[in-house]
Amino acid sequence: MAFKKLQQEDILFFQSLQDVQVLTDAEQLERCASDETEDLRYMPELVLQPSAVAAVSHIMKYCNEQQIPVTPRGAGTGLSGGALPVMGGVVLDMKRFNKIVNLDLRNLQVTVEPGMITQELQEKVKESGLFYPPDPASKGSCFIGGNVSENSGGPRAVKYGVVKDYVLNIEMVLPDGNVIWTGANVLKNATGYNLTQLVVGSEGTLGVITKIVLRLIPAVKHDMLMLVPFRKAAEACEAVNAIFMAGFTPSAMEFMERDAVEWVMRYVQTTAINLPDDIEAHLLIEVDGNEWDQLYKEMEAIGEIAQRYDTDEILFADTSEQKQMLWTLRRKVGEAVKSNSIYKEEDTVVPRAELPELLRTVKELGRKYGFHSVCYGHAGDGNLHINIVKADMSDADWNEKLPLGIRELFARVVSLGGTISGEHGIGLVQKSYMDIAFNEVQLRLMKQIKNVFDPKGILNPGKIFAS
């Protein structure tokens, strides 16, 4: 598909619009050329920062008419290349859409703009005794709009669900400039097709999100956290399902293998965790609720289940400082891995009981193809983040053999009943593997949906689909 290169008259048009900042300086273009996906870089021709829905509508209408590609961008924390302007054109930077529009305490809802930082939203609603649970590792910098576009999860998804479970309604600008709401601000809706859930996870390919209505829940009063060391990583994975089979649902259950813990402690310069030589993995387990006595009982019972396996001494976080340190270590594992080597991060997810087999497969393929992996993730969801580090691999092996290994990994994941992305999305870097997860009929339906919303293909082109 041929797109138009920006001309001076296009820039002049954008400069004539109200509520739009037009950025052409090298620093801003460079900022929007990359995200947190590997070391990829694609330069846009122009960055636009609108602050009103009408401005977004004018931009989209003009770009649609002129065949100018538009890439929506949030905070740039994505891990699948979804915000990269691979076709050049315009980056639509939504950072100025950063307000809470309405906090409806009567109905436990909040209407928020897409450029608000996730943690800031959580803290704001907490002031009213409410809770918005989805909490990706980058919650201190990522935007709500990006979370919706990727259907983000995070550690507490195991108990509370992911973003899709909280989105009631979305205001969005279509590629032709029309503005629509996708649903209604209600908890139940059986009126026609569910456009709201279609937009959640669509990675900015169907429309530009300008408002989001989220349901909230009452905040719990207490939480408890413990770190369980296992001498066998596979047993840590087995313990996950055993805990659920015993009737417990922790508010978080995170897996970190040894390298993940070593690397992140070195990265944040701490020795907070004792790491004997024979420990292969840890589970970070949290429970929450309103009654301390009940939480103590749950934690004690979960600890007893874990100790049926070959574990070392369990660390209970007794203070808020200890809790904060443990969560900081978990949330910064990805940064620590990235600081060590060129890497690729895979976001596999399988049914929870298949987690031990997934881990075994990863290590087996590493030996077969010559790569080293650092694994961690949301074990309670069966969602394993597999960081493949280049280290001593030759460029030839990295570029030619590794894709074969990843394809074999994904095929095994799908055969286990899983899929190739749990929360990071497909974006740019995973689109060539979509044929593993879907057949031709399914892919054709998805492409037809894209074509209905965006017949000229201007919105976030080059994403999700291989062709």
Side-chain angles (χ1 to χ4, degrees):
M1 186 175 296
F3 292 112
K4 175 185 176 182
K5 291 291 184 182
L6 286 174
Q7 307 296 319
Q8 185 61 32
E9 59 265 26
D10 301 317
I11 297 174
L12 290 174
F13 171 79
F14 295 131
Q15 289 174 334
S16 73
L17 296 176
Q18 290 186 342
D19 302 313
V20 179
Q21 289 185 0
V22 181
L23 307 175
T24 58
D25 59 287
E27 181 180 353
Q28 291 296 332
L29 296 179
E30 188 69 39
R31 176 181 66 85
C32 292
S34 61
D35 59 9
E36 293 300 319
T37 310
E38 302 168 22
D39 56 352
L40 302 178
R41 179 176 173 274
Y42 295 88
M43 289 293 287
E45 298 169 67
L46 189 69
V47 176
L48 300 178
Q49 291 181 338
S51 59
V53 177
V56 177
S57 176
H58 289 312
I59 290 167
M60 294 309 304
K61 185 174 187 294
Y62 182 84
C63 289
N64 194 54
E65 292 171 348
Q66 297 296 318
Q67 201 72 13
I68 298 169
V70 178
T71 304
R73 182 180 176 91
T77 59
L79 293 164
S80 63
L84 300 181
V86 296
M87 304 296 182
V90 168
V91 163
L92 196 61
D93 185 353
M94 299 299 288
K95 68 185 299 182
R96 297 174 70 200
F97 277 79
N98 59 3
K99 299 184 294 297
I100 289 178
V101 178
N102 180 44
L103 179 56
D104 182 352
L105 299 179
R106 293 173 62 241
N107 291 301
L108 303 188
Q109 296 176 6
V110 62
T111 302
V112 62
E113 292 180 330
M116 188 164 197
I117 293 173
T118 302
Q119 186 171 342
E120 290 182 3
L121 173 66
Q122 291 175 320
E123 291 172 352
K124 186 65 178 178
V125 301
K126 187 177 180 181
E127 293 174 4
S128 300
L130 299 175
F131 183 31
Y132 173 68
D135 61 338
S138 58
K139 68 176 184 177
S141 55
C142 63
F143 292 172
I144 284 290
N147 294 172
V148 172
S149 295
E150 300 293 343
N151 192 22
S152 300
R156 293 182 177 88
V158 62
K159 179 177 181 178
Y160 292 105
V162 297
V163 167
K164 72 175 179 63
D165 300 306
Y166 295 87
V167 179
L168 300 176
N169 203 356
I170 292 172
E171 181 189 68
M172 64 186 291
V173 180
L174 299 176
D176 64 3
N178 276 303
V179 182
I180 67 167
W181 282 94
T182 59
N185 300 359
V186 292
L187 297 177
K188 297 172 68 176
N189 187 346
T191 312
Y193 294 139
N194 194 332
L195 296 181
T196 302
Q197 291 301 319
L198 178 61
V199 172
V200 175
S202 63
E203 304 190 43
T205 62
L206 302 181
V208 179
I209 295 171
T210 48
K211 292 186 185 69
I212 307 149
V213 181
L214 300 168
R215 75 176 183 93
L216 305 171
I217 61 177
V220 296
K221 297 177 181 178
H222 311 297
D223 59 70
M224 297 182 67
L225 187 67
M226 66 179 176
L227 186 70
V228 186
F230 290 79
R231 292 187 174 87
K232 298 295 181 184
E235 290 192 359
C237 294
E238 291 172 14
V240 172
N241 204 47
I243 291 167
F244 283 91
M245 291 295 290
F248 299 101
T249 303
S251 51
M253 182 175 285
E254 299 290 293
F255 172 87
M256 296 180 288
E257 69 172 339
R258 183 185 185 90
D259 280 353
V261 176
E262 283 188 339
W263 290 18
V264 75
M265 284 202 298
R266 186 164 61 243
Y267 181 71
V268 302
Q269 299 182 330
T270 184
T271 56
I273 298 175
N274 180 39
L275 197 58
D277 293 341
D278 60 347
I279 296 301
E280 289 188 359
H282 288 79
L283 288 181
L284 183 65
I285 304 172
E286 179 191 81
V287 297
D288 69 359
N290 293 317
E291 300 294 335
W292 274 119
D293 289 346
Q294 181 62 31
L295 294 185
Y296 276 116
K297 290 178 182 178
E298 285 187 31
M299 196 62 101
E300 184 178 47
I302 290 171
E304 289 175 356
I305 294 168
Q307 288 175 318
R308 296 173 190 170
Y309 301 90
D310 191 2
T311 61
D312 203 345
E313 184 177 355
I314 295 175
L315 170 64
F316 290 91
D318 295 322
T319 66
S320 58
E321 290 77 17
Q322 282 184 312
K323 292 177 184 177
Q324 181 63 40
M325 173 53 72
L326 290 176
W327 275 120
T328 295
L329 291 174
R330 167 58 190 91
R331 292 183 184 279
K332 288 188 175 293
V333 171
E335 294 177 36
V337 173
K338 189 173 184 177
S339 71
N340 271 273
S341 171
I342 295 173
Y343 79 113
K344 290 182 180 293
E345 181 168 355
E346 307 305 337
D347 176 40
T348 55
V349 58
V350 294
R352 192 162 48 221
E354 305 299 340
L355 197 57
E357 177 60 21
L358 173 57
L359 184 64
R360 186 197 66 78
T361 297
V362 171
K363 299 308 179 182
E364 180 182 275
L365 291 174
R367 291 188 291 271
K368 178 177 178 179
Y369 289 96
F371 65 77
H372 178 68
S373 62
V374 181
C375 298
Y376 61 96
H378 314 306
D381 299 324
N383 185 192
L384 191 66
H385 299 323
I386 302 163
N387 279 220
I388 300 171
V389 295
K390 186 171 186 292
D392 297 328
M393 285 185 75
S394 68
D395 290 344
D397 284 352
W398 182 257
N399 294 321
E400 296 168 17
K401 288 185 179 181
L402 184 58
L404 299 177
I406 293 173
R407 178 163 281 275
E408 190 170 339
L409 169 64
F410 285 164
R412 182 58 177 150
V413 165
V414 171
S415 75
L416 292 171
T419 194
I420 67 177
S421 180
E423 59 184 11
H424 293 170
I426 298 302
L428 175 67
V429 297
Q430 306 293 25
K431 64 181 184 177
S432 62
Y433 302 109
M434 283 282 277
D435 65 295
I436 300 173
F438 300 106
N439 62 34
E440 291 183 7
V441 175
Q442 294 166 309
L443 288 171
R444 183 170 70 249
L445 285 171
M446 291 184 194
K447 292 175 183 177
Q448 289 171 341
I449 291 170
K450 164 68 172 172
N451 190 57
V452 167
F453 279 80
D454 184 19
K456 293 187 177 181
I458 66 159
L459 189 56
N460 209 8
K463 310 297 168 54
I464 300 181
F465 307 112
S467 59

